[in-house]
């Protein structure tokens, strides 16, 4: 009896100590936030080439810009650089994020724009994936606002009809693709496919897989990221990967739905088309390359392996060829000389931001201002900001990793009304699909 009483006293004392410690921690956080509010955080001002030439697109009716998170599409008007006609910036956007294609870089553009204009994001209850690798389910994979109105969908999700149902009917559909060879190599390394093969850290694992990809993929419990990774993210069933007619039909459907597919190898030209499509400013699409692997973590491919990758990922090759061709058709309509001039302006403006903000873009975790998630054995480049730029929100947002930015937006949008992990499980939102336990989707 005495031992039981002593045990209860110890447990009670531990609980009291935990409560006091938690109170002190929260008090310190509140004080730090208050100090942060009072700290002067100057916005860096950058002048674009357009400012010098008097060609910079000007906002009209700035006082009517949307406030308190309520969007007012008629708040300001601008001139479309291509047509010369007055247009209204578009703020309802669906960005299908495709793994290992440079999509984290493009996502940063939408995160910053939505953050700046207090737009409403479709956000996951936890982490930074909207149900991936499962098809997006609006009941399970997102936090819901009271009015069920959303402006930007830009986190990793496997495309499904629910995406269209959640977003406004006039949303602009945008995505990105990259050379399928580079996508496959990057995914194989980043998502540790060697582990699933039982060839952990074997430098020849990729070549071994490509020698008989069907055999190795069939032996895996989890085949995500092992074939036609880009089509998979667009929601195309893996059962169609051997049917060329069905693949072409799927690509045609994607082409009909999406207004712009950015091509990673022609990134700056794509950004100019994005700016024009959305009626945004050049400053809105300035971006630094994020979540890039250190060159030491990139597998050097033989020409034989490159050809094998194309054969195994024939669907992604078809997808890439189609949208590379449509991009150049758009550039031709835009005007090649005009495009070259706009790309030059963007390049100079990006360099100006870089010189004002960045000390290094090849910093590793521990040295970078923001640590990034890294798979075992893979190094991801991070940023070190210049000392005078460390407290500047413009520079901070441009180098902030997706996971951290998503958490900040979740708290900005929902405050403390975020369900805990246990509550999510009760709603049927389970831990991320992860049969191999070392696999993580990022």
């Amino acid at each position: 009896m005495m031992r039981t009483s002593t045990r209860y006293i110890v447990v009670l004392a531990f609980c009291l100590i935990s409560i006091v410690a938690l109170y002190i921690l929260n008090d310190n956080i509140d004080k730090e936030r208050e100090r942060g509010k009072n700290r002067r955080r100057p916005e860096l001002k950058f002048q674009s080439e357009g400012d010098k030439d008097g060609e910079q697109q000007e906002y009209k009716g700035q006082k009517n810009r949307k406030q308190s998170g309520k969007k007012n599409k008629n708040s300001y008007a601008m001139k479309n650089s291509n047509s010369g006609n007055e247009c209204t910036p578009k703020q309802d956007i669906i960005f299908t994020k495709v793994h290992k294609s440079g999509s984290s870089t493009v996502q940063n553009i939408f995160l910053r724009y939505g953050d700046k204009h207090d737009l409403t994001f479709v956000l996951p209850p936890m982490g930074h994936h909207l149900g991936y690798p499962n098809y997006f389910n609006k009941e399970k994979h997102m936090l819901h606002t009271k009015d069920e109105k959303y402006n930007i969908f830009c986190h990793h999700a496997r495309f499904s009809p629910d995406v269209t149902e959640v977003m406004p009917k006039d949303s602009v559909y945008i995505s990105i693709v990259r050379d399928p060879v580079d996508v496959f190599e990057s995914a194989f390394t980043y998502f540790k496919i060697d582990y699933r093969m039982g060839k952990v850290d074997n430098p020849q694992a990729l070549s071994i897989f490509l020698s008989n990809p069907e055999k190795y993929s069939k032996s895996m419990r989890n085949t995500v990221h092992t074939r036609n990774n880009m089509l998979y993210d667009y929601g195309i069933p893996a059962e169609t990967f051997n049917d060329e007619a069905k693949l072409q039909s799927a690509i045609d459907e994607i082409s009909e739905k999406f207004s712009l597919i950015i091509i990673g190898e022609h990134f700056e030209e794509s950004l100019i088309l994005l700016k024009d499509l959305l009626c945004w400013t050049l400053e809105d699409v300035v971006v630094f390359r994020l979540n890039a692997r250190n060159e030491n973590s990139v597998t050097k491919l033989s020409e034989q392996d490159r050809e094998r990758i194309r054969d195994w990922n024939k669907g992604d090759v078809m997808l890439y060829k189609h949208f590379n061709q449509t991009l150049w058709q758009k550039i031709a309509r835009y005007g090649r000389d005009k495009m070259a001039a706009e790309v030059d302006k963007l390049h100079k403006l990006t360099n100006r931001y870089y010189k004002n903000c960045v000390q290094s873009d090849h910093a590793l975790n521990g040295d970078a201002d923001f640590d990034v998630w890294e798979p075992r054995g893979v190094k991801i480049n991070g940023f070190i900001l210049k000392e005078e730029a460390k407290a500047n929100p413009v520079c901070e947002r441009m180098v902030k990793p997706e996971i951290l930015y998503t958490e900040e937006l979740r708290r900005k949008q929902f405050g403390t009304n975020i369900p805990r992990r246990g509550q999510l499980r009760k709603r049927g939102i389970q831990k991320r699909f992860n049969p191999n336990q070392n696999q993580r989707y990022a």
Side-chain angles (χ1 to χ4, degrees):
M1 184 71 179
M2 190 71 174
R3 288 181 180 177
T4 303
S5 300
T6 303
R7 197 173 296 140
Y8 283 142
I9 291 171
V10 171
V11 171
L12 181 61
F14 179 78
C15 291
L16 288 172
I17 291 170
S18 299
I19 291 170
V20 171
L22 185 60
Y23 175 82
I24 293 171
L25 177 61
N26 287 333
D27 186 55
N28 287 337
I29 291 173
D30 290 339
K31 288 178 180 177
E32 184 60 31
R33 284 175 178 166
E34 194 61 35
R35 282 197 294 270
K37 288 178 182 178
N38 297 329
R39 194 182 299 132
R40 189 164 178 259
R41 292 164 65 85
E43 291 266 358
L44 291 182
K45 300 296 182 183
F46 302 96
Q47 184 184 37
S48 72
E49 292 299 301
D51 291 325
K52 295 179 182 178
D53 302 332
E55 296 172 357
Q56 180 64 24
Q57 297 169 320
E58 295 181 357
Y59 290 105
K60 297 180 181 179
Q62 289 282 352
K63 293 181 181 179
N64 295 324
R65 189 177 288 182
K66 60 165 194 53
Q67 297 174 351
S68 305
K70 300 297 182 182
K71 185 184 63 172
N72 178 2
K73 283 192 172 184
N74 298 317
S75 58
Y76 52 94
M78 297 169 59
K79 283 193 175 181
N80 184 296
S81 62
N82 192 27
S83 66
N85 297 325
E86 194 173 87
C87 60
T88 301
K90 294 179 174 63
Q91 298 180 333
D92 293 333
I93 298 160
I94 295 172
F95 174 60
T96 295
K97 200 168 185 285
V98 175
H99 284 86
K100 316 319 300 171
S101 63
S103 62
S104 292
T105 298
V106 180
Q107 181 196 41
N108 181 262
I109 293 173
F110 297 123
L111 294 178
R112 284 166 26 220
Y113 186 90
D115 189 12
K116 177 181 178 181
H117 295 276
D118 294 323
L119 302 181
T120 303
F121 291 87
V122 175
L123 294 172
M126 55 186 282
H128 60 294
H129 292 87
L130 291 161
Y132 195 90
N134 301 307
Y135 285 106
F136 172 69
N137 184 317
K138 63 182 180 182
E139 302 300 330
K140 291 183 177 182
H141 299 148
M142 62 177 285
L143 291 171
H144 292 264
T145 60
K146 289 181 179 179
D147 61 6
E148 294 287 354
K149 292 181 179 178
Y150 308 94
N151 303 118
I152 298 179
F153 188 111
C154 68
H155 285 77
H156 272 309
R158 193 174 184 200
F159 194 89
S160 76
D162 276 15
V163 177
T164 302
E165 291 179 18
V166 164
M167 294 295 291
K169 291 182 179 179
D170 62 348
S171 296
V172 182
Y173 288 74
I174 298 162
S175 190
I176 182 171
V177 296
R178 180 187 176 200
D179 186 326
V181 172
D182 296 326
V183 169
F184 188 83
E185 180 278 321
S186 180
F188 192 97
T189 304
Y190 193 90
F191 296 113
K192 306 301 293 178
I193 308 300
D194 59 348
Y195 180 91
R196 303 186 216 172
M197 295 170 59
K199 307 286 183 184
V200 182
D201 297 333
N202 185 329
Q204 299 302 316
L206 179 54
S207 291
I208 294 170
F209 176 88
L210 292 171
S211 68
N212 197 337
E214 196 150 354
K215 167 193 166 184
Y216 284 106
S217 59
K218 282 182 177 178
S219 70
M220 298 176 189
R221 291 169 56 200
N222 172 14
T223 59
V224 179
H225 301 303
T226 60
R227 190 182 190 191
N228 289 327
N229 301 332
M230 295 189 286
L231 283 174
Y232 183 91
D233 286 358
Y234 284 110
I236 309 307
E239 304 83 64
T240 68
F241 287 172
N242 290 319
D243 191 323
E244 194 166 322
K246 288 183 178 178
L247 288 175
Q248 187 57 56
S249 177
I251 292 168
D252 290 342
E253 287 184 22
I254 295 169
S255 187
E256 186 175 342
K257 184 176 287 289
F258 284 78
S259 297
L260 176 65
I261 303 291
I262 294 167
I263 301 295
E265 286 73 22
H266 307 293
F267 192 66
E268 291 180 323
E269 291 88 348
S270 297
L271 290 185
I272 297 301
L273 293 175
L274 177 69
K275 173 186 76 75
D276 200 64
L277 172 67
L278 298 179
C279 193
W280 287 5
T281 68
L282 200 63
E283 285 81 1
D284 290 329
V285 298
V286 170
V287 70
F288 301 145
R289 189 183 177 203
L290 301 177
N291 207 37
R293 284 177 299 159
N294 187 278
E295 59 184 15
N296 294 326
S297 294
V298 178
T299 303
K300 302 296 187 290
L301 298 172
S302 67
E303 190 52 47
Q304 181 185 39
D305 282 347
R306 297 180 73 86
E307 195 55 45
R308 284 173 171 176
I309 290 174
R310 294 187 191 99
D311 289 341
W312 178 240
N313 296 274
K314 188 172 291 183
D316 273 0
V317 170
M318 292 170 62
L319 179 82
Y320 180 78
K321 284 183 176 179
H322 177 90
F323 287 111
N324 188 47
Q325 184 179 19
T326 60
L327 179 83
W328 284 101
Q329 290 170 354
K330 292 177 188 290
I331 291 173
R333 288 195 294 269
Y334 189 92
R336 291 180 183 270
D337 291 341
K338 186 176 182 181
M339 176 60 75
E342 288 295 307
V343 166
D344 185 58
K345 287 182 184 179
L346 177 61
H347 187 68
K348 289 177 179 176
L349 185 59
T350 303
N351 285 342
R352 196 170 293 116
Y353 271 85
Y354 188 92
K355 289 176 182 177
N356 278 279
C357 294
V358 179
Q359 179 178 316
S360 171
D361 61 2
H362 279 71
L364 299 180
N365 280 351
D367 296 324
D369 286 323
F370 298 105
D371 283 350
V372 295
W373 186 83
E374 295 177 328
R376 184 170 62 85
V378 178
K379 296 299 181 183
I380 306 296
N381 292 328
F383 288 84
I384 299 176
L385 294 174
K386 291 185 174 179
E387 207 56 45
E388 61 272 22
K390 287 185 184 292
N392 186 277
V394 175
C395 297
E396 283 185 355
R397 291 171 191 144
M398 293 187 76
V399 303
K400 191 173 292 182
E402 171 191 358
I403 296 175
L404 177 59
Y405 212 150
T406 300
E407 181 60 31
E408 291 181 1
L409 288 172
R410 190 158 36 224
R411 296 198 175 279
K412 174 183 177 181
Q413 196 163 300
F414 295 98
T416 57
N417 299 320
I418 303 172
R420 295 182 180 180
R421 190 181 296 265
Q423 294 172 310
L424 296 174
R425 289 203 180 104
K426 287 180 181 178
R427 286 168 47 191
I429 303 172
Q430 300 295 329
K431 187 177 179 182
R432 202 159 38 238
F433 175 71
N434 189 4
N436 291 317
Q437 294 304 310
N438 86 320
Q439 181 65 38
R440 179 165 177 169
Y441 298 94

